[in-house]
């Protein structure tokens, strides 16, 4: 399974309009596309930064109807007042949902540079070593790991029931990231926090 992320930084005052557009227009259109597995949207209302993730059954499904997808992306950018979206494509290596996310859920996103050619070892270590420890964090709801083997990079997204729960787990999360980077040789390049504005992903368990 694969995913395409679109990262946009727009006007913070337009974030709710952007959410409404993805919910009311992008998601209904995606449901009619063959191989589409759903969409999620993360937002930082303070900075206007948003991440829209579309999941697909495979690389071939993700490649269909590129003009339609580009038009959807343009519309979202327009709604947010966001120039030059940053688009990336990934393999979905891990997807584990312990409990469905409700209103108020938040997500901590960790970006990683991986050792050259080391994505498989990193994924194995994530599944065997990190995932069982994440499950014990208070307020933990789900986790996904997206990898880009071609560019030796990955993104891990951990969802919590609330911003308070995410912050309470901050110290443990830091320790887990530090230990994971030490064991795998990966480098943490960014850690960002978002509200989970939309969660319509129908990705099956991959753990």
């Amino acid at each position: 399974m694969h995913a395409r992320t679109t990262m946009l930084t727009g006007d913070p005052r337009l974030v709710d309009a952007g959410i409404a557009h993805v919910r009311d227009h992008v998601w209904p259109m995606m449901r009619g596309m063959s191989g589409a597995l759903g969409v999620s949207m993360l937002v930082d209302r303070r900075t206007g930064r948003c991440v829209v993730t579309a999941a697909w059954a495979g690389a071939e499904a993700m490649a269909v109807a590129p003009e339609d997808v580009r038009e959807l992306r343009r519309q979202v950018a327009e709604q947010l007042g966001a120039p030059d979206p940053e688009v990336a494509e990934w393999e979905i290596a891990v997807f584990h949902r312990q409990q469905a996310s409700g209103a108020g859920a938040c997500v901590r996103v960790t970006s990683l540079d991986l050792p050259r050619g080391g994505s498989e070892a990193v994924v194995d270590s994530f599944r065997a070593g990190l995932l069982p420890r994440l499950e014990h964090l208070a307020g933990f709801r789900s986790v996904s790991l997206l990898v880009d083997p071609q560019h030796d990079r990955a993104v891990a997204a951990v969802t919590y029931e609330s911003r308070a729960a995410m912050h309470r787990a901050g110290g443990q999360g830091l320790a887990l990231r530090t230990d994971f980077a030490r064991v795998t040789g990966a480098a943490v390049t960014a850690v960002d926090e978002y509200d989970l504005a939309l969660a319509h992903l129908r990705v099956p368990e991959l753990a």
Side-chain angles (χ1 to χ4, degrees):
M1 279 168 282
H2 285 67
R4 180 184 289 115
T5 55
T6 301
M7 305 179 76
L8 314 100
T9 301
D11 187 335
R13 297 170 297 180
L14 298 177
V15 166
D16 286 329
I19 294 170
H21 185 80
V22 174
R23 181 191 65 228
D24 299 336
H25 298 281
V26 175
W27 170 227
M29 281 198 67
M30 278 198 64
R31 280 187 293 187
M33 295 181 179
S34 177
L37 297 178
V39 65
S40 69
M41 186 173 183
L42 309 180
V43 303
D44 181 343
R45 286 183 168 82
R46 181 180 60 84
T47 64
R49 186 168 177 80
C50 303
V51 183
V52 180
T53 300
W56 302 85
E60 292 181 357
M62 189 167 64
V64 302
E67 293 299 329
D68 292 343
V69 172
R70 277 195 288 269
E71 175 58 19
L72 290 176
R73 189 183 304 137
R74 185 198 65 77
Q75 292 175 9
V76 175
E78 183 178 85
Q79 290 291 324
L80 290 167
D84 303 322
E86 179 183 339
V87 181
E89 297 184 350
W90 311 87
E91 297 175 12
I92 304 176
V94 175
F95 188 88
H96 172 59
R97 183 184 290 113
Q98 184 160 282
Q99 189 174 336
S101 302
C106 289
V107 184
R108 180 174 287 121
V109 178
T110 302
S111 301
L112 301 157
D113 282 344
L114 309 182
R116 185 176 299 276
S119 62
E120 288 189 16
V122 168
V123 171
D124 289 343
S125 181
F126 192 97
R127 286 176 175 154
L130 189 57
L131 182 54
R133 298 167 73 184
L134 288 170
E135 290 178 317
H136 292 291
L137 295 177
F140 171 80
R141 288 294 178 263
S142 65
V143 63
S144 62
L145 177 67
L146 309 181
V147 298
D148 177 0
Q150 183 178 356
H151 298 101
D152 296 311
R153 60 180 179 168
V155 174
V158 181
T159 303
Y160 295 87
E161 65 178 358
S162 65
R163 185 164 292 274
M166 182 172 66
H167 287 170
R168 284 195 299 269
Q172 292 169 287
L174 174 60
L176 291 178
R177 288 193 301 273
T178 301
D179 188 50
F180 181 72
R182 178 185 59 79
V183 169
T184 62
V188 176
T189 58
V191 179
D192 299 296
E193 296 179 351
Y194 297 95
D195 295 325
L196 178 58
L198 296 173
H200 295 306
L201 291 178
R202 298 174 295 181
V203 178
E205 183 80 5
L206 288 170

